[in-house]
Amino acid sequence: MPALFPILIVLLAGVGLAVQPPTNAALAKTSGSVWLASLVSFAIGTAVLFAIWAATDRTMPATLKGAPGWAWLGGLYGACFVAALAYATPRLGLASALTIAVGSQLVTALVLDRFGLLGLTAQPISLARVAGVVLVIGGVLLVRGG
């Protein structure tokens, strides 16, 4: 049962990721700018994270000075994801946009796991893992075709 809480957190995060693109798309439609909508999304997220950090954690930012250079790019990936989904969701539909994103995430995850990239512990690529990703990609094709 110790994995139940992390699973619940990830499930809730998945719900958040599903409602984020149409939320940001609504901002983009209203303003006429995907970039402004993405900026507002990140500004609000940053404010919330700052408040939580200030109230509960307060780890000194100086502790980050030893982080590898690539570790600073997480915000870039997030910004690109938010902007891409704010743009693509009204054009492709939410289900298509998210299944394409999940499919690409899983293929990338297999590669990162296999070679232990970005600080991960190397994980073998098994037939079951590949089959799971192939099924998700099949789901992408079904969602897009339906």
Side-chain angles (χ1 to χ4, degrees):
M1 271 307 186
L4 184 59
F5 186 68
I7 290 171
L8 180 60
I9 294 296
V10 172
L11 286 172
L12 291 173
V15 171
L17 280 178
V19 298
Q20 184 183 33
T23 303
N24 292 339
L27 285 176
K29 182 178 179 183
T30 301
S31 68
S33 172
V34 167
W35 304 114
L36 178 59
S38 300
L39 178 63
V40 167
S41 177
F42 265 80
I44 291 171
T46 298
V48 168
L49 288 173
F50 181 82
I52 293 169
W53 170 77
T56 65
D57 187 342
R58 296 192 188 156
T59 300
M60 290 291 103
T63 61
L64 295 171
K65 70 179 176 185
W70 53 263
W72 294 91
L73 298 177
L76 172 65
Y77 308 140
C80 290
F81 183 82
V82 165
L85 271 285
Y87 172 79
T89 296
R91 290 159 178 83
L92 299 175
L94 181 59
S96 289
L98 286 179
T99 55
I100 292 167
V102 168
S104 68
Q105 289 170 355
L106 289 174
V107 170
T108 303
L110 279 180
V111 172
L112 294 174
D113 274 352
R114 168 61 182 92
F115 296 104
L117 301 173
L118 303 178
L120 297 172
T121 301
Q123 304 282 332
I125 293 181
S126 66
L127 183 58
R129 293 180 90 198
V130 170
V133 171
V134 167
L135 286 171
V136 170
I137 292 170
V140 169
L141 298 173
L142 288 172
V143 169
R144 283 294 299 149

